[in-house]
Amino acid sequence: MTYLTRAAAAAGALLAAAGLLTAGPARAASRDMLPGTWLYLAVTKGDARSSDTRGTLLLCDPPLGHAHATEACADLSAAGGDISRIPAADVFCPMIFAPVTVHARGRWNGRSVDFRETYTSMCVMRARTGSVFTLDD
């Protein structure tokens, strides 16, 4: 199952829970109808052909759906929802090439977000994106 399929399923479940999705004629609900600030986050280890992708839906009002939701929402809030503006941590990362690609799609305070970046390792990714893509416990 691709992360977009999982995102659509998660968005549908959220819409149903919020009462925004009703049964009836074929009327597709837009992901833009999700209330509040939310991002679907995906992390793919390996090259572009890899199928090793993990993802989750991050909600920030209140922080839910992510192993480190409170920290991730705080990092995003400090950067105005712009992942590229999260200050890089001052850490030493081993020079081991193990690429990881991250993707975030959703809404931040009414603004669309679509962020994609490939980092040379998980260490570099965490240093540059804070808790946002730290999906593990």
Side-chain angles (χ1 to χ4, degrees), residues 27-86:
R27 191 176 135 203
S30 166
R31 286 187 287 183
D32 293 338
M33 290 177 59
L34 280 174
T37 295
W38 63 274
L39 295 175
Y40 184 78
L41 306 168
V43 177
T44 303
K45 293 179 183 176
D47 61 20
R49 297 177 305 273
S50 175
S51 63
D52 187 7
T53 299
R54 294 196 58 211
T56 192
L57 184 64
L58 171 67
L59 302 171
C60 286
D61 191 23
L64 297 169
H66 184 292
H68 305 278
T70 301
E71 297 90 347
C73 292
D75 289 340
L76 285 163
S77 184
D82 185 349
I83 297 168
S84 65
R85 290 184 41 210
I86 294 174

